[in-house]
């Protein structure tokens, strides 16, 4: 039995993490995961600051799904302060979120394509993603940290020209994604490297509390928190899911979810056109504590916030999806015949390490005591 270290810096890793693969020959029989390379202490930095600064900090929890973090943050404060958001703002939030989901899923599929040595497939996905990034820049003025959300609505409205640009881009985007799906289904290399690899079943998903496309690819459609969001209920959202629970199913779920997002965007645009009034309103922040969940692109994201009257953050806790999905990864290794399959399986969960690393634990090497760092 030997240990093969992968990372913390590896060409296929988007962020640093060390995975120690325990192998017998070429067969992977287990893994240890070491984190702690990108800790930034965002929760601690937020404490004592005004909620307006908290929005900008929440946007920096993740570099890919930055928008959904601000949406969850402001919706949590709106729940605590009992603030009703204008209809126009509700649909504009859905438009921004689903565009972000599309570009996040395209990155995830692209990196998985490169992990199984299908670079052409990966680069094609990244090229298509550029159309979505251009739309986000047109709507908010920025591609990643958009600064679009405010408590009580969104920062600005969109023009008729932007509306038509979104409609037109959705038509070409849908054709592009259908082409990707055809290649994904017919490509012999993709099937060979993905089907029956990294399998996790329904019971193991329930045990690890895996979320997002990882859970939905193992027959758990109810894991999608969009089913519980009031605006998505208006739009008639239905989740995508599969039963196989392997690398192929997880990637297929993401590709199909892009088509679902395009449908949701068309419905949200229609609802937006029918709505009237402003996109934001003045708010009165009331003190209290609350919790809010949203379906981020990798799965459930949770914010628990305690604020004072006027909006000073007393305490905030953020839980992101990769925490649970990393636990699920260890079960997937049982069906990874080689080291390269174990690496591809890790990529198939679409991990986000900077999302996950927000707490520090101090370990006393003499006594073995572990306690959270709080000062």
């Amino acid at each position: 039995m030997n240990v093969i270290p992968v990372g913390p810096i590896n060409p296929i890793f988007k962020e640093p993490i060390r995975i120690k693969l325990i192998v017998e020959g070429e067969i992977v029989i287990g893994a240890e995961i070491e984190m702690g390379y990108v800790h930034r202490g965002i929760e601690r930095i937020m404490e004592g600051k005004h909620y307006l600064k908290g929005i900008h900090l929440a946007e920096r929890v993740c570099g890919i799904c930055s928008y959904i973090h601000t949406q969850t943050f402001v919706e949590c404060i709106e729940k605590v302060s009992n603030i009703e958001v204008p209809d126009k703002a509700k649909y504009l939030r859905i438009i921004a979120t689903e565009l972000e989901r599309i570009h996040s899923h395209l990155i995830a599929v692209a990196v998985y394509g490169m992990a199984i040595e299908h670079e052409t497939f990966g680069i094609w996905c990244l090229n298509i993603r550029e159309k979505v990034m251009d739309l986000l820049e047109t709507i908010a003025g920025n591609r990643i940290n958009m600064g679009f959300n405010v408590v009580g609505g969104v920062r600005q409205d969109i023009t008729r020209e932007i509306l038509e640009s979104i409609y037109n881009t959705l038509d070409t985007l849908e054709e592009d994604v259908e082409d990707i799906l055809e290649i994904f289904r017919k490509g012999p290399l993709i099937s060979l490297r993905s089907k029956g690899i990294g399998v996790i079943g329904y019971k193991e998903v329930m045990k690890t509390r895996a979320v997002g496309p990882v859970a939905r690819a193992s027959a758990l459609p109810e894991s999608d928190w969009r089913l519980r969001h009031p605006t998505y209920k208006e739009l008639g959202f239905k989740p995508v899911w599969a039963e196989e629970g392997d690398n192929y199913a997880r990637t297929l779920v993401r590709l199909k979810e892009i088509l679902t997002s395009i449908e949701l965007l068309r419905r949200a645009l229609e609802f937006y056109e029918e709505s009237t009034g402003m996109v934001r309103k003045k708010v009165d922040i009331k003190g209290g504590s609350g919790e809010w969940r949203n379906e981020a692109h990798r799965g459930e994201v949770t914010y628990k916030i305690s604020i004072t009257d006027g909006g000073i953050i007393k305490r905030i806790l953020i839980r992101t999806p990769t925490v649970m999905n990393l636990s699920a990864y260890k079960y997937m290794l049982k069906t990874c015949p080689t080291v390269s399959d174990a690496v591809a399986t890790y990529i198939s969960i679409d991990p986000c390490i900077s999302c996950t690393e927000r707490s520090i634990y101090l370990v006393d090497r003499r006594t073995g005591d572990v306690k959270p760092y709080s000062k």
Side-chain angles (χ1 to χ4, degrees):
M1 191 167 67
N2 293 301
V3 175
I4 297 180
V6 183
I9 307 299
N10 185 288
I12 203 63
F13 286 2
K14 287 183 286 184
E15 294 163 300
I17 187 171
R18 186 193 297 278
I19 301 173
K20 293 179 180 175
L21 294 175
I22 303 162
V23 299
E24 282 183 352
E26 180 74 1
I27 300 171
V28 181
I29 58 174
E32 293 177 10
I33 297 174
E34 279 185 10
M35 303 178 72
Y37 298 94
V38 286
H39 173 265
R40 294 165 297 157
I42 282 183
E43 290 173 357
R44 180 67 176 160
I45 296 170
M46 283 188 189
E47 289 177 19
K49 290 189 168 52
H50 195 264
Y51 80 91
L52 290 174
K53 290 185 179 177
I55 296 175
H56 293 294
L57 285 165
E59 197 160 49
R60 282 151 180 82
V61 171
C62 179
I64 294 176
C65 53
S66 57
Y67 180 82
I68 193 69
H69 278 278
T70 65
Q71 181 169 325
T72 313
F73 181 93
V74 299
E75 286 183 342
C76 189
I77 291 183
E78 285 160 2
K79 181 189 175 189
V80 172
S81 300
N82 197 23
I83 295 168
E84 190 68 29
V85 177
D87 284 345
K88 265 189 169 184
K90 288 195 300 185
Y91 303 124
L92 284 173
R93 283 180 180 178
I94 297 293
I95 291 166
T97 305
E98 291 308 314
L99 285 173
E100 190 182 64
R101 190 182 313 278
I102 292 172
H103 95 69
S104 177
H105 278 0
L106 284 170
I107 287 183
V109 174
V111 177
Y112 181 72
M114 293 179 188
I116 59 171
E117 300 173 22
H118 200 326
E119 284 86 358
T120 307
F121 182 74
I123 296 297
W124 193 13
C125 293
L126 291 178
N127 282 338
I128 294 169
R129 172 180 173 265
E130 283 304 305
K131 296 175 184 175
V132 184
M133 302 309 291
D134 288 344
L135 276 184
L136 286 170
E137 188 176 6
T138 308
I139 293 169
N142 253 333
R143 290 159 62 95
I144 298 294
N145 291 331
M146 293 182 274
F148 193 53
N149 262 316
V150 294
V151 174
V154 294
R155 192 167 299 280
Q156 61 194 25
D157 204 349
I158 58 174
T159 62
R160 169 56 58 182
E161 289 75 23
I162 294 175
L163 200 67
E164 289 174 2
S165 172
I166 299 172
Y167 273 123
N168 294 335
T169 305
L170 289 182
D171 292 338
T172 57
L173 189 65
E174 189 172 28
E175 292 175 13
D176 292 338
V177 176
E178 290 285 4
D179 289 343
I180 290 176
L181 259 172
E182 188 177 353
I183 288 181
F184 187 80
R185 285 178 170 135
K186 293 182 178 177
L189 171 65
I190 294 171
S191 295
L192 187 66
R193 290 293 311 273
S194 307
K195 287 186 176 177
I197 307 291
V199 179
I200 183 167
Y202 177 84
K203 289 181 180 177
E204 291 165 330
V205 161
M206 294 297 286
K207 192 184 294 181
T208 59
R209 301 185 68 187
V211 294
V214 173
R216 291 194 283 283
S218 298
L220 202 66
E222 59 271 28
S223 66
D224 198 319
W225 274 85
R226 286 178 287 180
L227 285 167
R228 303 163 182 82
H229 194 283
T231 314
Y232 280 97
K233 285 180 182 176
E234 288 180 36
L235 300 175
F237 166 72
K238 292 180 181 175
V240 174
W241 61 285
E243 291 184 337
E244 293 79 5
D246 54 9
N247 292 356
Y248 188 90
R250 283 187 283 279
T251 310
L252 185 63
V253 164
R254 289 193 183 92
L255 285 170
K256 286 184 175 179
E257 281 191 353
I258 294 175
L259 295 175
T260 303
S261 292
I262 292 171
E263 285 178 28
L264 284 169
L265 279 163
R266 289 191 175 120
R267 276 181 233 148
L269 287 166
E270 289 171 10
F271 277 63
Y272 166 80
E273 287 188 278
E274 292 169 4
S275 56
T276 56
M278 306 293 285
V279 295
R280 60 186 294 188
K281 64 181 185 182
K282 288 185 178 179
V283 295
D284 179 24
I285 304 297
K286 297 171 185 171
S289 300
E291 178 179 332
W292 192 261
R293 288 183 173 85
N294 268 326
E295 182 66 20
H297 323 313
R298 297 179 176 88
E300 171 195 333
V301 61
T302 305
Y303 272 63
K304 293 182 180 179
I305 303 175
S306 180
I307 55 170
T308 64
D309 286 336
I312 302 297
I313 300 169
K314 292 163 65 180
R315 185 77 179 96
I316 180 165
L317 287 170
I318 307 168
R319 193 178 73 171
T320 55
T322 300
V323 179
M324 289 77 82
N325 289 342
L326 281 176
S327 300
Y329 172 62
K330 293 184 179 179
Y331 286 91
M332 299 172 190
L333 289 172
K334 295 174 184 174
T335 47
C336 290
T338 66
V339 171
S340 57
D341 290 324
V343 175
T345 299
Y346 170 72
I347 298 301
S348 79
I349 69 171
D350 189 19
C352 181
I353 306 305
S354 64
C355 271
T356 308
E357 292 191 1
R358 288 178 318 282
S359 59
I360 292 178
Y361 283 85
L362 300 177
V363 180
D364 189 327
R365 292 194 173 182
R366 290 172 301 175
T367 63
D369 291 342
V370 180
K371 61 181 180 181
Y373 179 75
S374 59
K375 185 177 180 182

